[in-house]
Amino acid sequence: MSMTRMPALYLSHGAPPLVDDARWVSELNQWSTDLPTPTAILMVSAHWESAPLTIGATDPSVPLTYDFGGFAEHYYRVRYDAPGAVDLAAKVAALMPDQQAVHHDSHRRLDHGAYVPLTVMYPEAQIPVLQISLPTLDPEKLLDLGRRLRPLRDEGVLIVGSGFTTHGLPFLRDWRPDAAAPAWSKEFDVWAGERFAAGDVESLIRFQTEAPGMPYAHPTAEHWSPLFVALGASDDAEQVGKQVIDGFWMGLSKRSLQLT
């Protein structure tokens, strides 16, 4: 595995049926192919909020976290037996402030916001993977968390904030994967693309009051919050990142961002 300095990513992760969407699978496959091979992957998913910062299981025999309901049975039998990133867990803990508590949860492994995209991007499951919690939804604090994690990129660690650029599930009326995007989803997506292209971090932080399509696009903030970890882990949060994936799935924006 390389020790090339890795980018930081914000990706829209998709529900378990993501693996059945040929276009999205192709896009994620191409994205991972274009990246250097990581030494390890650090995932921050919208689906794990826990304070203080909590480091997940490093034992690959611990079952995945199937944190969803109402899907076909085969989605609950998915395996992703990537090696446990024990060394990375120790490094993450060491990068946190001395006065800040860090918890370890040896019983909680990757949730679907982490393992579903990884089964597409790195299907061989040979790269060590670690998941840490979102300890807060405060953008400024998440930016700071990302800054603390930034040195890991020099060691070949791929830092991934896994969320969804729009996530207004309560307001969807058409649940088909190819459903037309509602107006609130399209409006927020256009705004997000423009703000990414401008490196406008302040507006991204104030999305709840500035972005069109709110509060429908994000009735709760957790799927937008991983963006700030990725921005903080980047060289410059105000950079113009590469918008690698766009378009919609089930009417939700899958816009995804790569940062140097």
Side-chain angles (χ1 to χ4, degrees):
M1 291 185 180
S2 80
M3 286 291 285
T4 304
R5 190 165 196 258
M6 297 299 295
L9 312 183
Y10 171 69
L11 63 80
S12 295
H13 59 247
L18 160 63
V19 298
D20 303 322
D21 186 286
R23 178 179 175 184
W24 206 350
V25 165
S26 175
E27 290 168 336
L28 285 174
N29 274 330
Q30 188 61 55
W31 195 359
S32 60
T33 299
D34 292 341
L35 294 172
T37 302
T39 58
I41 301 170
L42 181 62
M43 300 293 300
V44 184
S45 163
H47 294 279
W48 190 17
E49 298 175 57
S50 183
L53 182 77
T54 305
I55 296 172
T58 57
D59 180 353
S61 69
V62 174
L64 295 173
T65 302
Y66 302 102
D67 55 331
F68 47 83
F71 291 95
E73 177 60 30
H74 69 272
Y75 294 118
Y76 301 89
R77 296 195 296 268
V78 172
R79 300 280 298 271
Y80 193 75
D81 298 326
V86 177
D87 292 345
L88 179 56
K91 291 173 182 177
V92 169
L95 288 170
M96 296 303 109
D98 291 341
Q99 70 276 15
Q100 179 178 309
V102 176
H103 287 183
H104 295 260
D105 188 341
S106 61
H107 302 291
R108 193 190 193 286
R109 201 155 152 260
L110 310 176
D111 61 44
H112 83 268
Y115 76 77
V116 169
L118 290 179
T119 62
V120 175
M121 297 177 77
Y122 300 100
E124 299 86 0
Q126 295 176 344
I127 300 170
V129 180
L130 180 71
Q131 185 171 349
I132 61 175
S133 70
L134 275 172
T136 177
L137 298 182
D138 183 318
E140 295 287 0
K141 292 179 179 178
L142 292 174
L143 285 166
D144 182 64
L145 172 61
R147 293 185 195 105
R148 292 186 177 278
L149 297 172
R150 186 186 298 162
L152 298 172
R153 294 175 49 214
D154 291 321
E155 301 181 28
V157 177
L158 180 64
I159 299 174
V160 181
S162 179
F164 226 130
T165 296
T166 60
H167 198 254
L169 294 182
F171 308 108
L172 293 180
R173 298 296 177 263
D174 186 343
W175 294 84
R176 294 174 300 160
D178 60 349
W184 49 262
S185 189
K186 291 189 288 187
E187 291 167 0
F188 189 99
D189 173 71
V190 169
W191 175 87
E194 291 173 345
R195 295 307 90 210
F196 291 161
D200 187 355
V201 177
E202 291 305 312
S203 289
L204 296 171
I205 288 172
R206 297 193 297 268
F207 75 101
Q208 290 173 312
T209 56
E210 290 196 8
M214 290 295 294
Y216 306 101
H218 287 284
T220 54
E222 76 284 345
H223 276 75
W224 189 240
S225 296
L227 167 67
F228 298 105
V229 179
L231 288 171
S234 73
D235 294 346
D236 178 3
E238 295 184 341
Q239 70 180 269
V240 176
K242 181 181 180 182
Q243 300 184 46
V244 181
I245 295 175
D246 59 15
F248 298 87
W249 183 78
M250 209 167 63
L252 303 176
S253 168
K254 57 183 184 177
R255 188 172 297 275
S256 299
L257 188 66
Q258 179 172 322
L259 302 151
T260 59

